[in-house]
Amino acid sequence: KNQVEQSPQSLIILEGKNCTLQCNYTVSPFSNLRWYKQDTGRGPVSLTIMTFSENTKSNGRYTATLDADTKQSSLHITASQLSDSASYICVVRGGYQKVTFGIGTKLQVIP
Amino acid sequence: EAQVTQNPRYLITVTGKKLTVTCSQNMNHEYMSWYRQDPGLGLRQIYYSMNVEVTDKGDVPEGYKVSRKEKRNFPLILESPSPNQTSLYFCASSRSRDRALSYEQYFGPGTRLTVT
C-alpha cells in the first residue's frame, strides 16, 4: 500500500532558528515528490518539487532533499520567521495519476 | 490574477438536503480535482477530471458526484449529505492532462462544510 509518513506531527521553534521536517514514503513506482505549505484556513501552496534525479533543491529559505534509494525526503527551513507557521505537506506521485498525501507537519514559530 | 475559487466558503446544512459546492479556475487548466481534509487523515481525493466530460473516482468518492461540462468549472454535488461528510473541502487545478500531476496543483481557498 502506498503511504507517505511525515514527522514530527507538530513542532514549535523560536523565531530565527532552523528546523528540518521529514517525509518517508513507500510509493512505488516513484515519479516526483512535492512539498506544500498550508496556512491555517487556506489551500496548500507548492514550495518545491523533487524528481528522481534530484538530490537537493532550494526555494529561498526552504531547502528540500531527496534520497530515492531510502525513499526519504526532508524540508529544511533556515532562519525561521513567524510567517513560516503553517502545516507542511509532503505529496508523492506514483504511477499514472496516483498521488498520495502525507498528513503534514504543523509548525509553529514563536517570537 | 490566476486563481481557483470556491463557493460557498462556509456551509452548515442538515442531513439529506442536496447541496452543490462550486469550483472555478481561470488558468485554462485541463486537470481539476476535489479533496477533503480531515484531522489526522490529511487530504484525500474525492473525484478528478482530466478534461471536459472526463471524470473519474478518487479514493473516497462515495456520497459525492461531479460534473465537468465546461473547462473552467468543476462543481461537487452532495445529493444527500450525511454527518460523516462534515469536512474541509478543496478544489484544485493543474496544467496539462497528460502529465497533470507533474505540474503544480493550484488549490482553492477551501469550503468548510458542516452537516448536522
Side-chain angles (χ1 to χ4, degrees):
Chain A
K1 179 181 178 183
N2 289 336
Q3 287 187 310
V4 176
E5 295 184 352
Q6 294 187 243
S7 62
Q9 287 189 345
S10 62
L11 182 62
I12 301 175
I13 63 172
L14 291 173
E15 185 179 12
K17 296 296 186 182
N18 304 335
C19 68
T20 300
L21 314 180
Q22 298 289 343
C23 173
N24 296 339
Y25 61 92
T26 61
V27 177
S28 183
F30 174 84
S31 181
N32 60 60
L33 182 150
R34 278 191 186 274
W35 284 94
Y36 283 84
K37 178 186 179 187
Q38 184 178 19
D39 293 317
T40 301
R42 307 190 74 169
V45 176
S46 178
L47 291 173
T48 185
I49 180 172
M50 306 291 290
T51 58
F52 187 86
S53 59
E54 295 174 308
N55 298 118
T56 303
K57 184 177 285 187
S58 293
N59 177 4
R61 294 179 297 102
Y62 301 101
T63 299
T65 66
L66 175 67
D67 185 333
D69 292 331
T70 61
K71 299 187 176 181
Q72 296 179 326
S73 177
S74 66
L75 181 69
H76 185 75
I77 304 175
T78 303
S80 60
Q81 301 176 357
L82 298 178
S83 59
D84 292 331
S85 295
S87 289
Y88 292 83
I89 302 171
C90 176
V91 183
V92 181
R93 180 193 174 194
Y96 183 62
Q97 301 175 18
K98 182 59 181 174
V99 172
T100 306
F101 287 77
I103 292 174
T105 292
K106 188 169 185 177
L107 173 66
Q108 185 178 357
V109 181
I110 58 176
Chain B
E1 178 189 357
Q3 60 182 352
V4 177
T5 57
Q6 295 179 227
N7 282 292
R9 294 290 313 279
Y10 302 91
L11 179 60
I12 300 174
T13 189
V14 296
T15 299
K17 186 176 181 181
K18 181 179 178 179
L19 67 91
T20 298
V21 184
T22 64
C23 172
S24 183
Q25 50 92 6
N26 62 1
M27 295 169 279
N28 201 36
H29 285 169
E30 287 143 330
Y31 180 92
M32 297 186 74
S33 181
W34 275 103
Y35 298 91
R36 61 178 289 175
Q37 187 175 38
D38 301 289
L41 294 177
L43 283 152
R44 293 179 292 168
Q45 190 176 50
I46 303 170
Y47 269 95
Y48 64 93
S49 170
M50 299 296 279
N51 212 328
V52 175
E53 301 291 2
V54 180
T55 63
D56 209 346
K57 296 177 180 178
D59 296 319
V60 288
E62 295 77 20
Y64 305 94
K65 286 176 56 178
V66 294
S67 68
R68 188 89 181 273
K69 293 183 171 59
E70 305 166 286
K71 197 172 188 179
R72 65 182 294 130
N73 296 324
F74 190 45
L76 179 69
I77 303 159
L78 284 73
E79 293 273 1
S80 182
S82 61
N84 64 14
Q85 292 179 299
T86 292
S87 187
L88 180 58
Y89 291 86
F90 288 100
C91 179
S93 73
S94 179
R95 187 162 56 109
S96 177
R97 59 178 173 173
D98 292 325
R99 297 176 61 197
L101 300 174
S102 291
Y103 291 106
E104 175 182 357
Q105 289 195 69
Y106 293 84
F107 286 82
T111 295
R112 187 166 292 281
L113 171 66
T114 301
V115 183
T116 61

